[in-house]
Amino acid sequence: MSPFFVKVGTVWDVQFTEEYMLINTEFSPQNSNAAKHVMGTRSLGLLGFMWDVAERLKALLVFAEHRYYGESLPFSEDSFRDSKHLNFLTSEQALADFAELIKHLKRTVPGADDQPVIAIGGSYGGVLAAWFRMKYPHLVVGALAASAPIWQFEDLTPCGVFMKIVTEDFKKSGEKCSESILRSWGAINRLSNTGSGLPWLTKVFHLCSSLKSENIQRLKDWISETWVNLAMVNYPYPANFLKPLPSWPVKEVCQYLTNPYMSDSLLLQNIYQALNIYYNYSGQSRCNNISETTAGSLGSRVWGYQTCTEIILPFCTNGVDDMFEPRAWDLDKYSDDCYKQWGVRPRPSWVTTQYGGKDIRSHSNIIFSNGDLDPWSGGGVTEDLSDTLVSVNIPEGAHHLDLRSSTDIDPPSLQLARSLEIRHMKQWISDYYGNYRRQP
Amino acid sequence: MSPFFVKVGTVWDVQFTEEYMLINTEFSPQNSNAAKHVMGTRSLGLLGFMWDVAERLKALLVFAEHRYYGESLPFSEDSFRDSKHLNFLTSEQALADFAELIKHLKRTVPGADDQPVIAIGGSYGGVLAAWFRMKYPHLVVGALAASAPIWQFEDLTPCGVFMKIVTEDFKKSGEKCSESILRSWGAINRLSNTGSGLPWLTKVFHLCSSLKSENIQRLKDWISETWVNLAMVNYPYPANFLKPLPSWPVKEVCQYLTNPYMSDSLLLQNIYQALNIYYNYSGQSRCNNISETTAGSLGSRVWGYQTCTEIILPFCTNGVDDMFEPRAWDLDKYSDDCYKQWGVRPRPSWVTTQYGGKDIRSHSNIIFSNGDLDPWSGGGVTEDLSDTLVSVNIPEGAHHLDLRSSTDIDPPSLQLARSLEIRHMKQWISDYYGNYRRQP
């Protein structure tokens, strides 16, 4: 085996006039499908901004799939078998793939050789876009890192910030909403201690299988994750990112959660109504399976391996600054769980050692965009670090809202954010041509 | 196995007043021994400059050994068994080791936490120093890359430049010197075709075992490598880098090579006298073993593996611009040889993809120093790339002469080079404290 295993699977590319390339570092099978879908319908959907900006800047658009996701499997179906086969799944290797892909495209696409390239990504894809510019500045003139929590590692951000932002979203979206949720955990705990409580909870939450007392924590986690996901996709118009949802879904949810002080059973019936916004907005769900993670394929097995090796994101709650049951960040337990599941232990400090943590000011040309409603903004870069490491904040934005297509009802802050982003990209391109032409 | 195998073996550190750290990226067992030696005798020898500058700048001095060299063996004696065990030997992994080492030192050495660090290295160690600043600018404020041929890859530098510089050194060091060497190849070829030629060559060159006709090429390679090494260590005073040698050894050699037009046998007897400067200056050599590479441990097995995976340095000769028999750069044959020896094939473009080739101007704070007499200067950076990517050229310098201790007979250009290097280092440090103090 040579030192680097480089394999990039499916690459979709659409050629405009090839003035330059945009590389999107999206990663999940779900996002890949979204990209495919976008390809059919053009400027609608999750990655619509890339289509809009590519058309505007006359760019070649490239979607690079992350290894071990989608169809980019180094050992086909054996890729997930054990840690030996998963050993080539690291962010470094993914960045190396992107580097090889860009070199390949420059060699093979007519006229692409001298063109500037821009990296774009959202969420983990945004983190990769930023890291790619940091590590391969000779291959991309800049990066748009949308909702990229590059500081959600180690102690760079207090572990409670994420859930605090989730809680604030619910507070803002309805009176007594977060208070209702905070009280719901006690209600579940009390009911699960009664003889009739477990079948009652099974029925009220429409669970697919009978709730057992050892699964109470799982039920509460499943509900918590739902609130988190709702905060992430709290978009101003109906959308289908994690699930098909109405506009401002947290506000919809909070309509059911106006009174925290009713009886446990009434409170939990309201909680179910609220959850149902997320799980059954399309009307097709028959029962809820709490052993499935709520984010669907985003919480896939492969991502689980990454969070057990490199991508260690500390989270905690205290029930005071947030609406969740208190839970400390316990790296030892986390590590033991990883070892049980994968036979590997996390290296929580490696990402900081490798990518610089907060000390990244010697880099340049990265836009960090964040939505104030997005819990991931807590670990993001929300202030300018230099003239060329800039932050773009979207007060009404949830998780990488700016990467979606423009719509008629986009808030002004979103429109402004996108035009700032495009202005920076144009600057990078003109700087590139300026430097390029000065060369002998 | 976790994604990164990180092990740093022996680390020698000497504490001054800890104002900041100098990290030396030296790598070979030979250099490690030199470092050990230097440690005893202080400001003499190969790495003396580091001692001088550390004392001047009140720095903690750290020698970081490269994995797979010296005592830093990930699988002890099994480390070299096969490509499976050698698979963790890459420059990326070495840089990762240095990163972990710096983090470790900052955690554990009292007062080191906030101190700036400077990377220093010569030759491959200089390449690593430059690459380390490029990839980990948050860990080192700058790098001194002495005689670092970062452009001796792919087609960044014409493959003939290296041997052309060797030839020029000999041309400058004596009339008819390079011409004598150029003619010597034909003399060897002619003699080896006669019945008595092989025993005669064995005797004249004091070979340890009888020369066979299939080893004629090996004999010529051994002689060529000797000329190359002499050019590398063509220092203005007696030194012991690859071998104990007099001052200006190429000039010494050329005293024997003043007449190219004598008979084959007389010419080759003179060649032997010239070679003997290199092989028997100390008077201890009894016979010459041409199956040993002339650079001793620098050409160790491990380096051979690196040159078969990542570090692919194209060389060629044409017998017109240089004094060697014409030989083209043949990557296919090179690759086949690597496969036979190690079961791996080289990836010649990866270094350029990874480290940027000539497109490195977005980086900062690297000094590229080169000696005009050093054949490696051909693949080095010998012009400023920006205000902070600077070149320091030493007309009288051979291979990383500037890293040696200062002596009373240092040429003025060398003294100037060292003072420039120190001035840049001081600037990096003061910039660091400036930025550092501005932080909240």
Side-chain angles (χ1 to χ4, degrees):
Chain A
M1 186 72 66
S2 61
F4 270 85
F5 184 95
V6 173
K7 180 184 183 301
V8 169
T10 314
V11 174
W12 302 279
D13 57 352
V14 175
Q15 230 168 289
F16 290 83
T17 66
E18 290 157 25
E19 236 180 69
Y20 67 101
M21 286 183 272
L22 294 157
I23 294 276
N24 180 290
T25 53
E26 285 302 329
F27 71 102
S28 79
Q30 188 184 40
N31 287 354
S32 301
N33 290 333
K36 272 179 190 162
H37 175 72
V38 168
M39 221 173 164
T41 62
R42 300 300 289 265
S43 50
L44 291 168
L46 173 63
L47 298 167
F49 177 65
M50 282 192 65
W51 292 85
D52 297 347
V53 78
E55 222 152 10
R56 244 173 102 170
L57 299 177
K58 301 195 174 66
L60 170 68
L61 193 51
V62 177
F63 291 86
E65 192 171 68
H66 192 296
R67 55 167 63 197
Y68 286 86
Y69 288 89
E71 299 168 42
S72 300
L73 304 179
F75 306 105
S76 351
E77 65 273 22
D78 290 338
S79 300
F80 315 115
R81 208 167 61 187
D82 51 30
S83 63
K84 202 173 143 243
H85 288 81
L86 282 159
N87 197 25
F88 302 92
L89 171 55
T90 66
S91 64
E92 293 86 344
Q93 298 278 12
L95 298 184
D97 290 341
F98 302 148
E100 291 284 6
L101 173 63
I102 291 174
K103 296 266 281 195
H104 171 77
L105 292 169
K106 291 201 160 204
R107 262 195 312 271
T108 54
V109 176
D113 188 28
D114 298 334
Q115 307 302 319
V117 179
I118 291 172
I120 300 186
S123 199
Y124 173 51
V127 171
L128 291 172
W131 288 348
F132 193 61
R133 168 67 190 170
M134 294 180 196
K135 294 295 185 187
Y136 295 84
H138 51 290
L139 293 180
V140 285
V141 297
L144 169 57
S147 299
I150 63 163
W151 290 344
Q152 188 71 41
F153 293 93
E154 290 201 288
D155 56 357
L156 301 176
T157 298
C159 59
V161 164
F162 184 94
M163 289 305 228
K164 197 177 165 200
I165 297 174
V166 174
T167 302
E168 279 162 8
D169 286 358
F170 281 77
K171 261 190 189 146
K172 276 185 266 184
S173 299
E175 216 183 333
K176 306 289 178 195
C177 188
S178 67
E179 217 175 321
S180 301
I181 291 171
L182 179 61
R183 280 185 51 85
S184 71
W185 313 118
I188 293 173
N189 292 342
R190 282 184 293 274
L191 269 166
S192 61
N193 282 333
T194 68
S196 57
L198 294 174
W200 186 88
L201 286 166
T202 304
K203 186 166 156 257
V204 163
F205 284 109
H206 288 62
L207 304 185
C208 297
S209 52
S210 297
L211 186 65
K212 300 201 176 74
S213 58
E214 66 264 31
N215 289 330
I216 291 298
Q217 189 56 51
R218 181 67 249 164
L219 172 68
K220 290 187 290 187
D221 288 347
W222 175 78
I223 295 171
S224 295
E225 285 170 36
T226 309
W227 306 141
V228 167
N229 289 333
L230 279 159
M232 278 171 61
V233 299
N234 196 16
Y235 295 132
Y237 45 74
N240 182 3
F241 175 37
L242 301 176
K243 293 269 186 185
L245 287 173
S247 64
W248 298 120
V250 176
K251 197 170 257 179
E252 292 284 323
V253 158
C254 286
Q255 286 181 351
Y256 295 96
L257 304 172
T258 54
N259 183 359
Y261 302 109
M262 39 179 46
S263 71
D264 286 349
S265 59
L266 281 175
L267 179 63
L268 292 181
Q269 281 174 31
N270 285 338
I271 290 282
Y272 169 71
Q273 294 298 326
L275 290 170
N276 215 28
I277 296 285
Y278 189 78
Y279 287 105
N280 201 22
Y281 185 65
S282 66
Q284 292 177 326
S285 175
R286 297 192 151 245
C287 65
N288 291 312
N289 183 353
I290 62 168
S291 66
E292 271 177 14
T293 61
T294 47
S297 55
L298 265 187
S300 71
R301 279 188 75 192
V302 195
W303 180 246
Y305 178 82
Q306 289 196 266
T307 62
C308 275
T309 47
E310 250 189 344
I311 313 293
I312 318 305
L313 307 162
F315 296 117
C316 61
T317 48
N318 62 16
V320 177
D321 299 310
D322 55 63
M323 62 186 186
F324 299 95
E325 287 190 301
R327 193 185 297 186
W329 168 244
D330 184 347
L331 180 59
D332 290 337
K333 183 183 177 304
Y334 189 95
S335 177
D336 289 344
D337 290 348
C338 286
Y339 192 76
K340 258 178 241 155
Q341 199 182 352
W342 302 101
V344 296
R345 290 195 181 274
R347 293 185 62 205
S349 68
W350 175 241
V351 155
T352 314
T353 301
Q354 159 92 322
Y355 299 111
K358 294 222 163 179
D359 188 9
I360 57 175
R361 281 187 292 183
S362 67
H363 300 290
S364 62
N365 292 8
I366 306 175
I367 306 165
F368 297 98
S369 67
N370 281 286
D372 288 0
L373 304 179
D374 179 15
W376 293 106
S377 67
V381 179
T382 52
E383 286 181 13
D384 289 357
L385 300 177
S386 72
D387 289 349
T388 65
L389 293 179
V390 297
S391 87
V392 169
N393 297 327
I394 307 162
E396 294 94 340
H399 202 45
H400 51 63
L401 174 61
D402 47 337
L403 289 194
R404 303 183 66 86
S405 295
S406 57
T407 71
D408 292 343
I409 55 163
D410 288 340
S413 68
L414 174 59
Q415 296 174 30
L416 178 64
R418 288 203 185 109
S419 68
L420 277 173
E421 289 164 6
I422 291 174
R423 196 197 296 168
H424 282 292
M425 289 185 202
K426 285 182 172 171
Q427 184 64 50
W428 301 336
I429 294 165
S430 87
D431 287 350
Y432 172 86
Y433 282 112
N435 285 327
Y436 187 75
R437 290 197 180 119
R438 268 204 301 279
Q439 278 188 305
Chain B
M1 187 70 69
S2 59
F4 269 84
F5 184 95
V6 174
K7 180 182 182 304
V8 170
T10 314
V11 174
W12 304 280
D13 55 353
V14 175
Q15 230 167 288
F16 289 82
T17 66
E18 290 158 29
E19 235 178 72
Y20 68 102
M21 286 184 272
L22 294 158
I23 294 276
N24 181 291
T25 53
E26 285 302 330
F27 69 103
S28 79
Q30 188 185 41
N31 286 354
S32 301
N33 290 333
K36 272 179 188 160
H37 176 72
V38 168
M39 220 173 167
T41 62
R42 300 299 289 264
S43 49
L44 289 170
L46 173 63
L47 297 167
F49 177 66
M50 282 193 66
W51 292 86
D52 297 347
V53 76
E55 223 152 10
R56 245 174 103 170
L57 299 177
K58 301 196 176 68
L60 170 68
L61 193 51
V62 177
F63 291 86
E65 191 172 67
H66 193 296
R67 56 167 61 198
Y68 287 86
Y69 288 88
E71 299 168 42
S72 301
L73 303 179
F75 306 106
S76 351
E77 66 272 22
D78 289 338
S79 300
F80 315 115
R81 208 167 61 189
D82 51 31
S83 63
K84 202 174 143 241
H85 289 81
L86 282 159
N87 197 26
F88 300 93
L89 171 56
T90 67
S91 64
E92 294 85 345
Q93 298 278 12
L95 298 184
D97 290 340
F98 301 148
E100 292 283 6
L101 173 63
I102 292 174
K103 296 266 280 195
H104 171 77
L105 292 170
K106 291 202 159 201
R107 262 194 312 270
T108 55
V109 176
D113 188 29
D114 297 335
Q115 306 303 318
V117 179
I118 291 173
I120 299 187
S123 200
Y124 174 52
V127 172
L128 291 173
W131 288 349
F132 192 62
R133 168 65 189 171
M134 293 180 198
K135 295 295 186 186
Y136 295 84
H138 51 289
L139 293 180
V140 285
V141 298
L144 169 57
S147 297
I150 63 163
W151 290 343
Q152 188 71 42
F153 293 94
E154 289 202 289
D155 57 356
L156 302 176
T157 298
C159 59
V161 165
F162 184 94
M163 289 304 227
K164 195 176 166 202
I165 297 173
V166 174
T167 302
E168 280 161 9
D169 285 359
F170 282 77
K171 262 191 191 143
K172 276 184 267 184
S173 299
E175 215 182 332
K176 307 288 180 195
C177 187
S178 66
E179 217 175 321
S180 301
I181 291 171
L182 179 61
R183 281 185 51 84
S184 72
W185 313 118
I188 293 172
N189 292 341
R190 283 185 290 275
L191 270 165
S192 61
N193 283 333
T194 69
S196 57
L198 294 173
W200 187 88
L201 287 166
T202 303
K203 186 167 156 257
V204 164
F205 285 109
H206 288 62
L207 303 186
C208 297
S209 52
S210 297
L211 187 65
K212 301 201 175 75
S213 57
E214 66 264 30
N215 289 331
I216 292 298
Q217 189 56 50
R218 182 67 252 169
L219 172 67
K220 291 187 288 186
D221 288 347
W222 174 79
I223 296 171
S224 296
E225 286 170 37
T226 309
W227 306 141
V228 168
N229 289 334
L230 279 160
M232 279 171 59
V233 299
N234 196 17
Y235 295 132
Y237 46 75
N240 182 3
F241 174 38
L242 300 176
K243 293 270 187 185
L245 286 173
S247 64
W248 298 120
V250 175
K251 198 169 258 179
E252 293 285 323
V253 158
C254 286
Q255 287 180 348
Y256 296 95
L257 303 173
T258 53
N259 183 358
Y261 303 109
M262 38 180 47
S263 71
D264 286 348
S265 58
L266 280 177
L267 179 62
L268 293 181
Q269 282 173 28
N270 286 337
I271 290 282
Y272 169 71
Q273 294 299 326
L275 289 170
N276 214 28
I277 297 285
Y278 189 79
Y279 288 105
N280 202 22
Y281 184 66
S282 66
Q284 292 177 326
S285 176
R286 298 193 148 244
C287 65
N288 292 312
N289 183 354
I290 62 168
S291 65
E292 271 178 15
T293 60
T294 48
S297 55
L298 265 188
S300 71
R301 279 188 75 192
V302 195
W303 180 246
Y305 176 82
Q306 289 196 266
T307 63
C308 274
T309 47
E310 250 188 345
I311 312 294
I312 318 304
L313 307 162
F315 297 116
C316 61
T317 48
N318 62 16
V320 177
D321 299 310
D322 54 64
M323 60 186 188
F324 299 94
E325 287 190 301
R327 194 186 296 186
W329 168 243
D330 184 347
L331 180 59
D332 291 337
K333 183 183 176 305
Y334 188 96
S335 176
D336 289 344
D337 290 347
C338 287
Y339 192 77
K340 258 178 241 154
Q341 198 183 352
W342 301 103
V344 296
R345 289 196 182 275
R347 294 184 62 204
S349 67
W350 175 242
V351 155
T352 314
T353 301
Q354 159 92 322
Y355 299 111
K358 295 223 164 178
D359 188 9
I360 57 174
R361 282 187 292 183
S362 67
H363 301 290
S364 62
N365 293 8
I366 306 176
I367 305 164
F368 297 97
S369 68
N370 282 287
D372 287 0
L373 305 179
D374 180 14
W376 293 106
S377 68
V381 180
T382 51
E383 286 180 13
D384 290 356
L385 300 177
S386 72
D387 290 349
T388 65
L389 292 179
V390 298
S391 88
V392 169
N393 297 327
I394 307 162
E396 294 94 341
H399 202 46
H400 51 63
L401 174 60
D402 48 336
L403 290 193
R404 304 183 66 85
S405 295
S406 57
T407 72
D408 292 341
I409 56 161
D410 288 340
S413 68
L414 174 59
Q415 296 174 30
L416 178 65
R418 289 202 184 108
S419 68
L420 278 173
E421 290 165 6
I422 291 174
R423 195 197 297 168
H424 283 292
M425 290 185 201
K426 285 182 172 170
Q427 185 64 49
W428 301 337
I429 294 164
S430 86
D431 287 350
Y432 172 87
Y433 283 113
N435 285 327
Y436 188 76
R437 290 203 178 112
R438 269 205 300 281
Q439 277 189 306

